Amino acid sequence: MALAMREVLLIISLVVLQQINKGDAQDLLIKLQKPAGLMKCRFNKIYQLGDSLSDTGNCIRESHCGAHSSCRRLPYGITFFQKATGRCSDGMLIIDFIALESGLPLLNPYERQNANFRHGANFAVAGATALSTEILAAENKIVNPMTNSSLNVQLDWMSSHFETTCSSTEKLNKSLFLVGEIGGNEFNYGLSQGKTMEELRRMVPEVVHTIIHGVRRVIDFGATRIVVPGNFPIGCHPIILTHFITNDSTAYDEYHCLKNLNNLAIFYNHQLQQAIGELKKDYPNITLVYGDYYNAYLWLLQNAANLGFDKNSVQKACCGIGGAYNFDIHKKCGSPGAQVCADPNTHISWDGVHLTQSAYKWLARWLIDDMLPKLNCHV
């Protein structure tokens, strides 16, 4: 079974890589052909919680979220699936590459009726927050305009799923759980709704506490290997660069990312890492791994040209229109007038908010290489 799935992985990888630099494609394919990577962990299931960075089709199956999501229609999905699947990208996401690298099929969204969940399930919902929408509104005066399916709601789904499928603790000891990335939308919504940097910083401990509580629930379900990702350097995204554009050159770092926004992500990630460290003391027999999205993204920026990305379009959206970053909040990807770039593989940003399949592919490669030694997998 594992061998057959590996062959599927290689076929899909060839399709995914057919349009990028030939040398890069061959290098990655050689890595994928090695009988190592996540295959040695022998995961038989993967369970994902999170937001649009990992949603494979839950949002579009919710009436409100689906009605307000651009990810429900083309050009989303155009590069790989040739149709919109609910993934907020032109193709596959990090979780898709992790599943394939593990020798498993792509995860079905939990809200897809009559789907096959023999190899895990994806509970992530685009637009979701770690904090409940009620707490977000009452305590922080921030409105989630997309969905009520916060982390706790997703965990309730997971609980119901395990009760329905009779997945005992023993049956989950070969499963990989990803709790996030989640928690970034609190800050995205806050920024768009006029919150100050200090107000957002004050939210960080509560967001982190909520995520850690979620990890504890996952452990109670029977999880033994858990990845908890941090946040990207948000000051590098076209939506943020456009919203906070300034003539003050000192506001930008060497990658032309906004330093104060990246500092918020650094602060959040540090708090999350500290909390994971404390949690490890309570669960010495549980493998808890921090997913370093921040440094993975910096590596991507540092090596963009060598990885086949257009150095002049590193911070421009592939799908969009107008301005220095090809992004207009009023004419987002999928809207009339918004155009798709000639080759999404040359761009890191897909729509100004989410990344391209090519970017996610390289991020997944970096993350797997970084996390694998920490997952305590033994042949």
Side-chain angles (χ1 to χ4, degrees):
M1 174 63 185
L3 180 60
M5 193 58 64
R6 195 68 180 178
E7 292 172 352
V8 172
L9 165 59
L10 294 175
I11 292 170
I12 291 177
S13 299
L14 282 168
V15 175
V16 170
L17 298 173
Q18 64 183 347
Q19 294 181 342
I20 72 168
N21 178 276
K22 185 177 180 181
D24 293 335
Q26 290 175 339
D27 289 344
L28 185 62
L29 193 56
I30 289 171
K31 284 187 175 183
L32 289 171
Q33 287 173 324
K34 292 179 180 178
L38 289 176
M39 285 288 287
K40 67 188 260 187
C41 295
R42 298 181 179 177
F43 295 127
N44 58 10
K45 296 180 179 69
I46 299 177
Y47 295 99
Q48 172 81 61
L49 300 153
D51 56 24
S52 60
L53 296 185
S54 46
D55 182 359
T56 56
N58 285 314
C59 170
I60 62 170
R61 288 175 169 83
E62 296 184 0
S63 57
H64 181 80
C65 193
H68 291 80
S69 173
S70 300
C71 309
R72 72 185 187 277
R73 59 178 179 262
L74 288 170
Y76 288 86
I78 194 171
T79 296
F80 184 74
F81 301 97
Q82 283 84 54
K83 65 178 182 179
T85 63
R87 289 168 173 81
C88 294
S89 177
D90 61 311
M92 293 198 289
L93 312 177
I94 290 173
I95 181 57
D96 294 318
F97 289 106
I98 287 176
L100 292 173
E101 180 77 3
S102 300
L104 298 175
L106 304 186
L107 298 184
N108 280 318
Y110 173 71
E111 296 193 74
R112 179 179 173 183
Q113 293 184 350
N114 303 316
N116 184 341
F117 297 118
R118 285 198 309 126
H119 296 288
N122 192 328
F123 302 91
V125 181
T129 52
L131 298 178
S132 71
T133 52
E134 294 81 10
I135 290 176
L136 197 60
E139 297 184 10
N140 301 286
K141 303 296 186 292
I142 295 174
V143 175
N144 182 333
M146 290 292 295
T147 180
N148 293 324
S149 301
S150 63
L151 178 58
N152 272 334
V153 172
Q154 295 177 30
L155 286 163
D156 289 343
W157 292 346
M158 183 177 280
S159 178
S160 298
H161 174 70
F162 290 148
E163 289 174 6
T164 303
T165 57
C166 301
S167 294
S168 63
T169 299
E170 292 75 19
K171 290 182 178 179
L172 294 174
N173 60 9
K174 292 184 179 179
S175 300
L176 174 65
F177 286 75
L178 294 101
V179 184
E181 187 277 332
I182 195 164
N185 281 330
E186 279 86 339
F187 309 113
N188 295 334
Y189 296 145
L191 288 167
S192 67
Q193 293 170 31
K195 296 298 178 182
T196 66
M197 203 63 65
E198 184 54 39
E199 287 175 312
L200 296 179
R201 280 177 170 261
R202 286 199 295 266
M203 288 172 53
V204 168
E206 187 175 17
V207 174
V208 169
H209 173 79
T210 302
I211 293 171
I212 295 301
H213 176 72
V215 176
R216 289 183 183 274
R217 284 191 66 183
V218 166
I219 292 172
D220 289 342
F221 293 149
T224 59
R225 286 191 177 90
I226 306 165
V227 174
V228 187
N231 207 346
F232 286 133
I234 58 175
C236 301
H237 294 325
I239 184 174
I240 297 294
L241 289 164
T242 299
H243 187 78
F244 295 99
I245 194 167
T246 175
N247 291 324
D248 181 7
S249 61
T250 64
Y252 299 93
D253 64 13
E254 65 268 37
Y255 307 111
H256 196 74
C257 301
L258 286 162
K259 291 188 283 190
N260 63 335
L261 274 302
N262 278 359
N263 286 338
L264 174 63
I266 290 171
F267 177 71
Y268 166 79
N269 289 338
H270 179 68
Q271 297 279 317
L272 182 61
Q273 286 176 274
Q274 280 193 317
I276 293 170
E278 290 299 312
L279 192 63
K280 286 181 179 180
K281 297 176 184 177
D282 294 339
Y283 299 97
N285 297 320
I286 301 297
T287 300
L288 290 167
V289 177
Y290 172 71
D292 195 353
Y293 279 28
Y294 191 98
N295 281 311
Y297 196 99
L298 287 188
W299 171 84
L300 192 66
L301 288 179
Q302 291 162 359
N303 296 278
N306 292 332
L307 297 175
F309 297 103
D310 177 7
K311 64 179 181 180
N312 297 316
S313 302
V314 168
Q315 278 152 339
K316 291 182 179 179
C318 167
C319 181
I321 189 170
Y325 307 101
N326 198 40
F327 180 84
D328 185 334
I329 193 68
H330 303 295
K331 294 181 181 179
K332 294 188 289 186
C333 182
S335 301
Q339 301 292 318
V340 178
C341 63
D343 184 3
N345 289 314
T346 63
H347 283 63
I348 290 176
S349 178
W350 165 242
D351 59 5
V353 181
H354 310 97
L355 309 185
T356 60
Q357 172 177 272
S358 188
Y360 283 137
K361 173 203 65 182
W362 288 113
L363 289 172
R365 178 75 269 157
W366 190 97
L367 288 164
I368 290 169
D369 289 346
D370 182 64
M371 296 186 301
L372 189 58
K374 307 167 189 175
L375 282 169
N376 297 325
C377 299
H378 306 286
V379 177

